[in-house]
Amino acid sequence: RAFATPENPLATAHMVDITTDSQSHYHRRLTEVYLIIDGEGQMEINGETIPVKPLDVLLIERGCRHRATGNLRIVNIPIPSFDPTDEWFE
């Protein structure tokens, strides 16, 4: 994860390869920016399905239930910095 240091609470960035359908989830504290780098698929955002392709950018606000489907390579930019304990599946 880029910029993941104790002195940087603002944001991080990491590349993610999505090769199977992810599980719908949300974050209580994080907002995420997804930049689609490669592949094609769909994003489900609060029950709405959106087709995505390279260079699409999505803003996923905190509390928004989301998941990616298809074969995608994305850059994920969590704001504030990524916190692995802030992923909720309920």
Side-chain angles (χ1 to χ4, degrees):
R1 296 185 195 281
F3 318 115
T5 62
E7 54 277 348
N8 175 32
L10 299 177
T12 52
H14 60 281
M15 192 165 306
V16 180
D17 287 316
I18 299 168
T19 56
T20 59
D21 294 349
S22 64
Q23 187 176 356
S24 182
H25 65 283
Y26 67 97
H27 307 280
R28 292 180 181 167
R29 294 181 302 278
L30 299 176
T31 291
E32 294 179 296
V33 176
Y34 277 27
L35 168 60
I36 310 302
I37 299 297
D38 191 32
E40 292 187 10
Q42 300 178 328
M43 284 293 301
E44 289 180 19
I45 299 177
N46 280 336
E48 181 182 352
T49 301
I50 302 165
V52 294
K53 62 187 181 323
L55 301 182
D56 285 349
V57 179
L58 300 120
L59 179 66
I60 303 167
E61 296 183 36
R62 65 185 170 102
C64 175
R65 188 169 290 279
H66 60 283
R67 75 182 190 120
T69 62
N71 292 309
L72 300 167
R73 173 170 273 190
I74 70 164
V75 173
N76 182 357
I77 304 166
I79 306 162
S81 295
F82 181 73
D83 175 359
T85 66
D86 186 29
E87 192 169 45
W88 304 92
F89 298 96
E90 55 198 33

